[in-house]
Amino acid sequence: KEKIFHYLKMTDNNQNYLCTDNPAQSNENLEEAKPDVNDKYREKTYIESQFLLSVILLSGYRPYNIEKAAIEYLEEAAKSEDPNYQYFYALMLYIKKIVLQSDKEVVDYFKIQENQGNIDNAYFTAIKNNSDNFKKAAEYFRKAADQGNVNSMYFYGYMLFVGDGVKENTKKAAKYFQKAADQGHMYASYIYGSLLEQEDQAKALKYFRMAADKNHPDALYKCGIYALKGLSTQQNKQDAAEFFKKGAEAGNIECIF
């Protein structure tokens, strides 16, 4: 980790770059090598290096007390319009691994309540505060989702669904869930199937099966019920039993009974 940190920090000081056309840059003489000013990888790799350094720092490895620097590196990487960087930045904001200054009062209150054992009350207060963290997370999830990042499609859909950082909009959330589901996202498949269930059971079953194929416990239960009752499919108790067995093994309590 120290070696990785050292080389990444060097990129931040504009001394060297991890990708280069210069063959002299090996592990042995990296510090002495001079990058070509016309290096076509220069700008791209600098951004990548900022991103990787922020990941290392936010994961808890801190040879120096530079968490603030880690956040700044990640913010800069996210501004590059790369959907993968935008997704990671949004996720760190959403789970409050990064706390914006404007949200510090909320988080401090949460910590006080948690220390006093009032976890439920603290969680309610923090979530319902419609924090700037959530607003910025939603912004970057949306940017990344609109560029094809599947996890961001799911998270932005979820934020729309529950109203975190954005105005609650189930119809719009469903569109993002469907996009993610159609690209194989297990949780999005199950949620989208659940949203369809009242109006189109056949289509709902399609998405439940997609999630069940990835061993989603609740989707396995749903598929079992559909097979048992013959909902939008031919009744098949043997298939139902198989779904319930898999669901029970995956942890669904209802499947056990």
Side-chain angles (χ1 to χ4, degrees):
K1 281 185 176 179
E2 287 185 5
K3 198 167 187 178
I4 293 171
F5 177 84
H6 173 68
Y7 288 139
L8 290 175
K9 196 70 177 71
M10 286 167 61
T11 68
D12 180 53
N13 293 332
N14 289 320
Q15 294 173 9
N16 286 292
Y17 295 85
L18 299 181
C19 291
T20 178
D21 289 330
N22 185 351
Q25 278 191 293
S26 64
N27 286 337
E28 291 73 26
N29 58 12
L30 181 59
E31 294 185 34
E32 290 75 26
K34 301 296 182 183
D36 183 351
V37 292
N38 296 317
D39 184 357
K40 63 182 179 180
Y41 296 109
R42 177 171 176 160
E43 182 178 356
K44 180 176 184 294
T45 310
Y46 177 63
I47 295 169
E48 289 175 351
S49 298
Q50 285 185 315
F51 173 71
L52 289 169
L53 179 56
S54 71
V55 172
I56 290 172
L57 295 173
L58 288 168
S59 69
Y61 179 70
R62 298 182 181 88
Y64 314 106
N65 185 21
I66 48 176
E67 184 167 329
K68 183 179 178 182
I71 295 170
E72 290 174 355
Y73 291 140
L74 188 52
E75 285 176 343
E76 287 303 312
K79 289 175 184 176
S80 71
E81 300 300 317
D82 185 300
N84 296 314
Y85 302 159
Q86 290 173 337
Y87 162 69
F88 188 78
Y89 179 52
L91 184 62
M92 292 297 100
L93 287 166
Y94 194 37
I95 65 175
K96 292 191 181 289
K97 188 74 173 178
I98 296 175
V99 181
L100 299 177
Q101 187 62 38
S102 55
D103 269 9
K104 288 195 78 65
E105 287 186 13
V106 177
V107 175
D108 289 344
Y109 175 77
F110 179 88
K111 289 179 179 177
I112 291 170
Q113 294 297 317
E114 187 176 34
N115 291 335
Q116 294 177 356
N118 302 324
I119 297 176
D120 291 339
N121 180 47
Y123 180 78
F124 177 84
T125 302
I127 293 299
K128 292 301 178 184
N129 199 275
N130 196 29
S131 70
D132 288 338
N133 253 58
F134 284 176
K135 290 176 183 176
K136 199 162 189 177
E139 174 191 347
Y140 276 92
F141 277 140
R142 179 189 57 77
K143 286 181 177 180
D146 290 346
Q147 292 188 76
N149 185 281
V150 179
N151 285 326
S152 293
M153 294 173 191
Y154 167 73
F155 274 105
Y156 186 57
Y158 182 80
M159 295 187 84
L160 286 165
F161 186 63
V162 299
D164 280 350
V166 289
K167 187 176 180 180
E168 187 177 318
N169 189 329
T170 304
K171 188 175 181 179
K172 194 173 181 180
K175 291 181 179 179
Y176 280 93
F177 284 140
Q178 182 181 13
K179 286 181 180 180
D182 287 343
Q183 294 189 53
H185 196 286
M186 179 180 71
Y187 296 108
S189 299
Y190 176 73
I191 294 177
Y192 186 57
S194 299
L195 292 174
L196 290 169
E197 201 167 14
Q198 295 299 318
E199 59 184 56
D200 191 339
Q201 286 188 334
K203 195 171 181 181
L205 178 59
K206 170 190 170 183
Y207 284 94
F208 285 145
R209 281 178 172 163
M210 288 167 63
D213 286 344
K214 296 181 181 294
N215 217 37
H216 189 291
D218 295 340
L220 287 163
Y221 171 72
K222 285 286 187 181
C223 288
I225 291 294
Y226 273 62
L228 182 65
K229 297 183 177 181
L231 302 174
S232 299
T233 187
Q234 187 175 355
Q235 186 178 34
N236 190 321
K237 292 183 178 180
Q238 186 175 347
D239 282 352
E242 186 63 26
F243 280 123
F244 289 144
K245 181 176 181 292
K246 288 181 179 179
E249 290 171 350
N252 184 281
I253 301 298
E254 292 173 288
C255 285
I256 296 173
F257 295 102

